[in-house]
Amino acid sequence: MNITSAQYITNRDGTNIAISAVVDDDTLSVPLDPANRHYQEILRQVEAGTLVIQEAD
Amino acid sequence: MSKARQLASLGNVYDDGALSNRNRIINGAMVFDQRNGGSSVAFTSAAYKLDRWVGAVGTATGTTIQRSTTSATGFSNSALITIGTGASPVAGAVNRIYQVIEGYNISDFAWGTASASAITLSFWVRSSVTGTFSGALYGASTIQSYPFTYTISAANTFEQKTIIISGPTTGTWNSTNGAGVYVNFDLGSGSTFKTSAGSWTTGTYIGVTGSTNLCETTGATFYLTGVQLEVGDLSTATPFEHIPYSDQLARCQRYFCKIENNTGNSQYLGILQAYTSSAVFGVIKDFPAEMRTTPTVAQSGTFGCGQAGSAPAGVSTTIGLLAATSRSWITTGWGGGSGLVAGYASVTSWSDGAYLTADAEL
């Protein structure tokens, strides 16, 4: 997966619940679920130092 | 066949597994293509295409895949892969089409124990290229693979193939909602991913050394349908299990679903709640089926909302802060509007052609 950006999405109380990510040129909302394949890949790329997740606006 | 033989065969099927819900492959008849609706699309970088089917032939530029209406007798569809510019694979090339079966759906196999069940993989295949083709199953915490071969004898003719695979007695196999076993059909992977056929071996393999590399032949075609994986050592696979359209669609939707407004008009979609004069939040729509895990969600097209018969509130035409729970598409804050009354409901709408997707594939 080519992930070019990632930013947290929060719920109304400010808790992070998802990541808005551009994956292979598509804008996706990725849940913070360890069983989700996109989240697994985001974590892998963060661990590898090739991706940084921006804080929510 | 005598009546006694028929009854004996029936008894064997019962002993080996079930008379219904035998097939652990989903969309084995290639009927569902929610993502692309039967259009021919690029098949050169790994991605899900027809429902539950994933793969790519990166070695051959211009390769495509589509749901075809050319199929074996008794089937309406097949997956058609057409090789673009043929090329030989490098050692590390991965060229295949495959399906990942969820752990829950192989939990009765008892794999990794002395009681491991054999399975029978059957499928219909047609190609413009003849020869010995291959594939492999793999899975488990310490990856084990079972490569197999099959022969396509006549060009451009559907042939049914049956592969009997012994049950692996070692390894820890997923029996929950993670990846259970990968079922691969090789289309010309490199030597790194090929080995000998006919037994479980440690390592990740996709095919068999020396088998045909479809990716080397410019314009070659490969059709696949009627894929069935069932419990039991069946020298003759049971007939393909056709289940009702709605049941098969629901099985696909556990992993991917797409809801679309294709009415030709703007339609109501759901009800949210305004929390300021300019923004709404809440549950947009429930998923049509229980999904494997919380899905990745996405949107396309034009969306809107309004209150009490007034003009649209002018919110952004894309849903702001789209997200998912385990059961629904939601928004935690969709703003840009005006004139909303906080605390009041707001009816959402979507224009013709707009859609939402949810992806919980393995």
Side-chain angles (χ1 to χ4, degrees), chain B:
Chain B
M1 181 183 292
S2 69
K3 186 62 70 181
R5 178 64 255 168
Q6 291 175 342
L7 289 170
S9 297
L10 187 64
N12 286 340
V13 168
Y14 181 80
D15 288 341
D16 289 330
L19 290 173
S20 62
N21 296 310
R22 301 185 311 277
N23 192 1
R24 311 309 169 92
I25 295 288
I26 296 172
N27 198 28
M30 311 296 181
V31 170
F32 295 98
D33 184 20
Q34 293 184 82
R35 294 173 180 82
N36 299 303
S39 297
S40 176
V41 293
F43 195 56
T44 50
S45 60
Y48 279 87
K49 301 299 181 183
L50 280 72
D51 277 63
R52 302 272 34 242
W53 291 98
V54 58
V57 181
T59 294
T61 57
T63 296
T64 59
I65 186 171
Q66 75 175 119
R67 181 186 62 191
S68 172
T69 54
T70 298
S71 197
T73 300
F75 296 90
S76 298
N77 298 104
S78 64
L80 163 61
I81 296 158
T82 304
I83 300 300
T85 303
S88 297
V90 298
V94 175
N95 296 306
R96 59 174 170 170
I97 180 170
Y98 67 103
Q99 182 170 132
V100 190
I101 301 178
E102 187 177 349
Y104 282 129
N105 293 337
I106 66 164
S107 60
D108 60 322
F109 290 4
W111 282 6
T113 76
S115 303
S117 296
I119 58 170
T120 299
L121 174 68
S122 57
F123 52 93
W124 288 86
V125 64
R126 164 181 158 163
S127 179
S128 58
V129 176
T130 59
T132 301
F133 287 69
S134 67
L137 273 63
Y138 68 72
S141 52
T142 300
I143 299 292
Q144 299 179 59
S145 301
Y146 188 103
F148 61 83
T149 60
Y150 61 93
T151 301
I152 295 180
S153 305
N156 302 316
T157 305
F158 274 101
E159 303 172 17
Q160 188 182 27
K161 306 300 173 186
T162 300
I163 313 291
I164 298 169
I165 298 169
S166 60
T169 56
T170 62
T172 302
W173 294 79
N174 193 315
S175 59
T176 61
N177 71 335
V181 63
Y182 291 69
V183 181
N184 295 277
F185 295 89
D186 179 61
L187 300 170
S189 296
S191 57
T192 301
F193 297 102
K194 288 186 172 178
T195 190
S196 302
S199 63
W200 288 99
T201 185
T202 300
T204 303
Y205 295 103
I206 296 167
V208 174
T209 304
S211 60
T212 300
N213 290 327
L214 190 81
C215 65
E216 293 181 348
T217 303
T218 298
T221 55
F222 183 90
Y223 297 82
L224 181 67
T225 193
V227 185
Q228 179 156 288
L229 188 151
E230 56 192 313
V231 174
D233 178 346
L234 308 173
S235 56
T236 301
T238 66
F240 183 82
E241 184 180 30
H242 290 281
I243 66 172
Y245 182 93
S246 56
D247 292 357
Q248 191 70 261
L249 175 59
R251 293 183 188 186
C252 293
Q253 288 173 329
R254 176 170 171 78
Y255 305 91
F256 179 85
C257 63
K258 178 180 181 180
I259 61 169
E260 182 171 9
N261 178 7
N262 52 15
T263 63
N265 300 293
S266 181
Q267 296 277 318
Y268 295 138
L269 176 60
I271 297 175
L272 300 174
Q273 184 185 42
Y275 63 94
T276 68
S277 62
S278 62
V280 297
F281 82 117
V283 174
I284 298 167
K285 195 78 173 176
D286 288 340
F287 304 132
E290 181 83 18
M291 301 201 76
R292 182 188 66 83
T293 195
T294 309
T296 296
V297 294
Q299 62 180 309
S300 178
T302 300
F303 297 81
C305 68
Q307 285 181 330
S310 63
V315 294
S316 169
T317 55
T318 57
I319 300 168
L321 300 183
L322 178 69
T325 66
S326 62
R327 296 188 177 278
S328 312
W329 287 277
I330 66 168
T331 171
T332 63
W334 178 9
S338 61
L340 295 165
V341 179
Y344 281 28
S346 178
V347 175
T348 58
S349 61
W350 53 346
S351 298
D352 182 52
Y355 63 81
L356 296 170
T357 60
D359 181 340
E361 292 282 9
L362 285 156

